[in-house]
Every structure is written in C-alpha cells, then in structure tokens.
Amino acid sequence: MNIHEYQAKALLKGFGMPVLDGRVVRSPDEALLAARALGGPVVVVKAQIHAGGRGAGHFTDDPGGKGGVRLARTPDDAQEAATAMLDSTLVTRQTGPAGRVVRRLYIEAGCEIARELYLSLLVDRATGRIVVVASQDGGMAIEDVAAATPERILKEAIDPATGLSDYQSRTLAARLDLHGPSIRAFTTVLRAAYEAFVALDAAIVEINPLVVTGSGDLVALDAKMSFDDNALFRHPELEELRDENEEDPREREAARHGLAYVGLDGTIGCMVNGAGLAMATMDIIKMEGEEPANFLDVGGGASRERVAAAFRIVLSDQKVRGILVNIFGGIMRCDIIAEAIIAASRETGLSVPLVVRLAGTNVEQGEDILSRSGLKIIPASDLGDAARKIVAAVRAEGDA
C-alpha cells in the first residue's frame, strides 16, 4: 500500500524526522489560506499523487506548461497554482501516458537548499536484510544515477540482530561528504527512517531529496513510503491512509475477493493459482511473442465465486483478447475447478478465446467436465501447449 507525501512526512515526523511545516488542501481557496498561514517569502505547491517525478511532469491540458511542483512567492500565486493543478491530469515518467488526476495539494514552507542527497531503506531479498541506499545525487531519478554512475550509489546492510548502529550512520555520513553538525543531523534522520521502517512494516522509505540547509541542518524535502500489504492487519491506522482514487479499481475488486491481481499492458488475460506458477505462465506467454494482460493468483481455494470474480476482473480490461487458465489442483480438486470455470464462463458471457490447462487431483474428471460443457473451451496438455494455443487463438481473432 502506498500513501501520499504529506502522510509519509506526518508518520516520519513522529519518529523524529525533520520536516518542513505544511498544509494539505483540496481547493484553491484552501491553498490561499494555507499559504497565508505558513508565511515566509516562498511556499511550494505540490501535487499529491502516488507517483514520482511530479516536478518534471506535465498536465494534459497544458503539456508545455509547469509541472506538479511549483514555487509560489505570494498567497495569490499559491491560489493560482492550485487552480491550474487541481482536478487536472498530471503525467510523469511513473504514471504512464494516462497520468493521474490531482485531487489534493500539499502547501509547504520553503527553505534554503545548499545540497540535495538521496536516502532510502528497503529490503534486499538477496540478503534478507534491510539495506540503506544513499547518494550525493539527490533530487534525481536514482535509477538514472545507478545506470550512469553506479559508484555514486552507497549501500549499507543492517544486521537484524543488532539493528542500525550509530557507527553505520556516521560512516555513511562521511561517505556522503557531510561534516560537523551535518553528521549528527544525518544520524538523526537515518535513525528516524529506520525506526519507522521497522515499526510500521514498511516496504520502502525514501527521502528524495534529503536537503542540507545553509546552516548544516538536514530536512526531508520529499518523502515516499509504502507498506507490506501482508502486515496491514497489524496497522489499522495505516489502512485509514489508503486513497482508493490512486488505486486500480480492478486491484481493489480483486482484494475484496481474496485475489492477488496486478494489471499489465498485454492482451492475454491470465488466471492461475500460485504466484510462482503465475510468473511462469506470464513468462511463457512472452516467450511465445505476446504480452500478458495481468498477474492473477486465485490462491488455493478457487471456489465458483472466486473464479467468477476473477473472470469479471480480467474481462473488465478492454485490452484482453483471450484468457489462459492454468490451474494446479492440489488442495482444490480439478473437477471442482472445472465446474467453477464453466459457471463463470456462462455467468460472464465469455466471448474471447479461453484455453484451460489443468493438472493435479482429479484432472481426468475435470477435463471430462470441460469437454462436455458445450462451451468453446480449448484444452491444453501442458503449460507450453496452453501458451501456444492461446497465442494462436488471439492472433486468429485479430486476423478475423
């Protein structure tokens, strides 16, 4: 689960992270009042969407204009910026061409910037440890920095038995070319980020940029946090921060039915039980020269209701031109799965090619049920056969 910048800053502030004063607003009049309340020679008006690169982005109704982060030197300027940004679609390198509608803004006090650093914490799956990633090249896309100058990306793994040590913080600060009070300030920042990461079961904490002010203080000028969905049951307070407007409605619907769904850009819908099997199914579709339209794991209990929901979600994607069902009947028997597939096909009025590969418990009974259904279901003997058949069927439909 992702949250907005202003929400992330509020959480991190509770752990001691230095942040600037700010107000979240939802109208131009609120932006005017917020800018007046903050005072100062300048405020920053920031679009709040779940995507990075906002400042370098553009609005669809003004492609040559300013992006989603704007300086305002007067309250009237802030109101004018809010008028231009609210309810408009912002396109960044992370949103894709469709962009995201801006429904709220964060009006934040300005500050003097001497340097911009990058700081994040994430889980390194190779080592099973939380890793600190830092760079002197803050404010830039860290992927570009890593590709062009990988030596400027610093990493420090944290031992889960001992946790973050002050020695590690000071060493990283020195490698970032920080001096004097800035080293102590960096230790505070990193400690706050680490404690928030652990306490809130975060998947990532990212501060970009982490700015060094003229006086040597450090301030989190931007903040991003996302959380492990599997741990949200421990954090009902985080669930309240969810912004459903920023989420794919298909993913929300899937979650309500206990399905793991991620929409992609291809044309072949996938319905599989098991994450590893789903990944293999997507890979083999690509090997056959087509693209999967989604990742969809129906889990171990593929009931009639769950399969029907899966079909509805897959078919709600207008790009889907065929569906590949790849089910291994372990806990759930293949004959029950076959009955669920038939019921779901009839319920949804399935009109695109459907290839089904079943394996496991009662597979013969399941295949017999499918063959006697009277529906145009294409059976497959194995995963490779299934991929070839769905690709051929989709291409044939396209030619027709």
Side-chain angles (χ1 to χ4, degrees), residues 13-349:
K13 183 179 180 181
F15 289 88
M17 179 72 68
V19 298
L20 299 170
D21 193 11
R23 308 282 192 279
V24 60
V25 303
R26 292 174 174 79
S27 72
D29 288 342
E30 290 181 1
L32 176 69
L33 296 175
R36 286 175 176 170
L38 291 172
V42 65
V43 297
V44 185
V45 183
K46 299 182 175 182
Q48 297 297 286
I49 60 172
H50 289 176
R54 293 167 295 167
H58 67 273
F59 287 91
T60 55
D61 57 358
D62 185 19
K66 298 178 180 178
V69 178
R70 306 184 184 185
L71 294 178
R73 302 191 181 281
T74 68
D76 288 338
D77 289 344
Q79 184 181 39
E80 181 181 348
T83 301
M85 296 163 70
L86 283 167
D87 299 319
S88 295
T89 301
L90 177 61
V91 178
T92 78
R93 63 186 296 174
Q94 293 186 11
T95 64
R100 297 279 180 85
V101 177
V102 177
R103 294 180 171 85
R104 64 190 83 183
L105 304 170
Y106 192 48
I107 313 298
E108 189 174 56
C111 74
E112 179 188 4
I113 300 175
R115 291 178 60 197
E116 293 186 345
L117 308 175
Y118 174 90
L119 177 67
S120 70
L121 287 87
L122 48 84
V123 176
D124 180 0
R125 297 187 184 278
T127 62
R129 296 186 175 193
I130 298 172
V131 172
V132 181
V133 180
S135 176
Q136 295 190 46
D137 298 309
M140 301 173 61
I142 199 65
E143 299 86 356
D144 295 341
V145 177
T149 54
E151 70 278 3
R152 296 183 68 82
I153 304 296
L154 310 178
K155 296 181 180 180
E156 184 74 27
I158 300 173
D159 188 327
T162 59
L164 176 69
S165 69
D166 287 343
Y167 170 78
Q168 289 177 300
S169 299
R170 290 193 298 269
T171 299
L172 270 175
R175 295 176 69 190
L176 290 169
D177 198 27
L178 295 173
H179 305 280
S182 296
I183 293 179
R184 291 190 293 274
F186 181 81
T187 300
T188 298
V189 165
L190 185 51
R191 173 63 58 182
Y194 173 73
E195 291 182 353
F197 189 101
V198 174
L200 299 176
D201 290 302
I204 187 171
V205 172
E206 182 180 68
I207 311 297
N208 186 30
L210 172 65
V211 303
V212 184
T213 68
S215 61
D217 293 326
L218 269 64
V219 175
L221 204 60
D222 193 5
K224 171 185 176 181
M225 293 186 74
S226 63
F227 305 93
D228 184 348
D229 291 344
N230 295 311
L232 286 177
F233 72 93
R234 290 200 288 254
H235 305 284
E237 75 282 5
L238 297 180
E239 283 277 12
E240 296 176 2
L241 303 180
R242 185 186 295 275
D243 183 354
E244 292 193 346
N245 289 317
E246 292 291 319
E247 299 177 352
D248 187 325
R250 295 169 299 179
E251 294 181 12
R252 294 202 306 269
E253 179 69 11
R256 279 193 280 269
H257 292 279
L259 305 168
Y261 175 92
V262 178
L264 302 172
D265 297 326
T267 58
I268 297 179
C270 303
M271 191 177 76
V272 191
N273 66 333
L277 190 59
M279 296 297 289
T281 302
M282 294 163 60
D283 285 346
I284 203 163
I285 288 172
K286 291 178 68 71
M287 289 172 63
E288 291 296 326
E290 291 293 335
E291 296 291 328
N294 61 270
F295 168 98
L296 177 62
D297 177 10
V298 298
S303 64
R304 173 176 172 171
E305 293 76 15
R306 184 174 290 184
V307 171
F311 268 84
R312 287 195 302 270
I313 293 166
V314 171
L315 291 171
S316 68
D317 184 346
Q318 299 301 311
K319 300 188 301 296
V320 169
R321 295 163 49 201
I323 298 177
L324 171 55
V325 176
N326 183 21
I327 299 290
F328 176 78
I331 298 173
M332 181 63 69
R333 303 191 330 251
C334 288
D335 54 333
I336 294 177
I337 293 170
E339 291 171 351
I341 291 171
I342 292 168
S345 299
R346 289 172 173 158
E347 179 183 331
T348 58

